[in-house]
Amino acid sequence: MTTAVVVRPHNLARYKNGPDEHGTPGRGCRCPECGQANRDYQTRRARLIAYGQWDVLTDATGTRRRIQALTRCGWSVSLLAARLGQPRQVLRAKLHVRGRVTPATAAAVRALYDDLWDRPPPEGTRFERRAATMARRYATERGWVPPLAWDEDAIDDPAAVPADGWERGAGREHGTLTAEALDLIGFGLDERQAAERLGVSRGTLSVTLARARVTVPKVTRPAAQAPSGSPAVAAAIRDARVRAGLTQRRLAAVVDVTEVCVQLWERAQRTPGSESWEQLELALGPLGIVRDAGQEPAAAKAGRSRAA
C-alpha cells in the first residue's frame, strides 16, 4: 500500500517540509518560488529581531493552567475557543501542551482568564447547562484546579503547585470558607457558583453556611458586575506586595481579609475600604496613590503634618 504524498503549494512550508520540486516526499523544495519565500522569511525575521519585535516562544505552563482553570469553572472548550478566535481542536491541544506557545497566544489566554475567572458560564438553556456540566466533570476527572487554587504570582511558574488547602478539606477553618464564600456571593455569584470557585461541593458549602447561620438569597445580582476598582490602585497594591515578597494569601492574612478580596483588589474589580487601606499601608508601606478622589496617601498626610 503506497502512502499518499501531501502536495503543498510552493511556499515556505514546502521549502522546509517538501515534497521537493520533483515530487519526492521528505525533501524540501528548492524551486525559485520556494527559495524566494524562504529569503523573504529570513529577511523579515532578521528585521524583527533587530527591532526587538520577534515573537520568540514562551513557556506554556500559565496558558495551560488558565485554560484548565476556566474549564473547571464550566467554560467549555468551544466557548473559550470562540472567544479566542481559535479552532476548538487547537485550543483543546493547548490544554495538554507541555512545551511552548507564542507570546500572542499567552497574552490572549491571560486576558480571557482575567475576564472570565470570576464569571459563570452561560447556563440559560439545557444545552448550555449540559455543556457546562460536562466541562466541569472533564476537568475534575483530570485533577484540574479552579482559579482560586492559584496565586497570581505562581500560576506561570512551572515549579509551582496549587495553594495549600485549596480543596477546603479537613483542616480548613469553616470561618475562612464562610468569609470567602460571602465575598463571592457579594460579588453576584450564587451558592453553586461560589462552591465551584472555592473547590468544594455545593453540599459542603451549604452545610458550612448553615452552621454560620448565613442565608443565601434565592435571587442574586448578575455575576458580571462592572468593575468598581481603579487599575492604578490595583497596580499599586500588586507592585507593593511583590516588593514585600508576599503572596496574595499571606497578604490577606496580614490585612485580615480573604484571599478573594486581595484578588479582586489586584484585578481592579473592587477598591479596599478605608480600614483595609490603612492595614495595607501598614503592611506594605505607603502606596503612593490615593484610594479615591477624597483620600490621599498616608505618607502625604504625614509629610504635611511634619511640615506644619
Side-chain angles (χ1 to χ4, degrees), residues 197-272:
R197 277 151 186 76
L198 292 171
V200 298
S201 67
R202 183 175 181 178
T204 297
L205 184 59
S206 297
V207 171
T208 302
L209 294 176
R211 288 175 178 172
R213 291 186 166 83
V214 173
T215 302
V216 180
K218 294 290 184 182
V219 180
T220 60
R221 300 186 303 277
Q225 297 183 15
S228 62
S230 161
V233 170
I237 295 173
R238 181 172 55 254
D239 292 345
R241 176 180 61 79
V242 172
R243 286 196 302 271
L246 298 176
T247 64
Q248 291 177 328
R249 179 162 296 191
R250 179 58 183 161
L251 178 60
V254 171
V255 182
D256 195 23
V257 296
T258 65
E259 187 180 358
V260 172
C261 271
V262 176
Q263 291 184 350
L264 294 177
W265 292 343
E266 293 191 1
R267 293 175 183 273
Q269 293 176 319
R270 286 292 181 272
T271 299

Side-chain angles (χ1 to χ4, degrees), residues 34-56:
C34 289
Q36 184 61 47
N38 179 62
R39 287 190 293 274
D40 292 343
Y41 166 77
Q42 296 297 340
T43 300
R44 178 176 178 273
R45 179 176 181 273
R47 184 171 62 250
L48 291 177
I49 290 176
Y51 284 98
Q53 298 175 353
W54 179 250
D55 274 351
V56 295

Side-chain angles (χ1 to χ4, degrees), residues 74-76 79 122 125-136:
W75 287 94
S76 67
L79 286 176
T125 68
R126 64 186 181 92
F127 300 104
E128 291 174 337
R129 288 191 293 272
R130 182 172 181 270
T133 300
M134 291 178 64
R136 296 184 188 104

Side-chain angles (χ1 to χ4, degrees), residues 63-171:
T63 299
R64 183 182 70 253
R65 288 172 176 171
R66 287 180 173 90
I67 297 173
Q68 291 175 350
L70 291 176
T71 305
R72 176 67 185 262
C73 291
W75 287 94
S76 67
V77 173
S78 297
L79 286 176
L80 297 176
R83 286 173 174 263
L84 289 170
Q86 296 184 1
R88 182 179 57 185
Q89 295 82 355
V90 172
L91 186 62
R92 188 177 297 278
K94 290 184 174 67
L95 284 168
H96 307 281
V97 67
R98 295 283 176 177
R100 300 165 75 80
V101 296
T102 64
T105 296
V109 172
R110 186 181 300 111
L112 182 67
Y113 178 83
D114 289 342
D115 183 41
L116 300 182
W117 76 278
D118 57 350
R119 292 169 54 186
E123 298 183 75
T125 68
R126 64 186 181 92
F127 300 104
E128 291 174 337
R129 288 191 293 272
R130 182 172 181 270
T133 300
M134 291 178 64
R136 296 184 188 104
R137 183 181 303 141
Y138 184 87
T140 302
E141 290 173 350
R142 284 154 181 78
W144 298 347
V145 299
L148 290 180
W150 293 110
D151 190 275
E152 281 295 297
D153 302 326
I155 192 169
D156 291 303
D157 182 1
V161 295
D164 292 337
W166 74 267
E167 293 180 282
R168 307 316 197 262

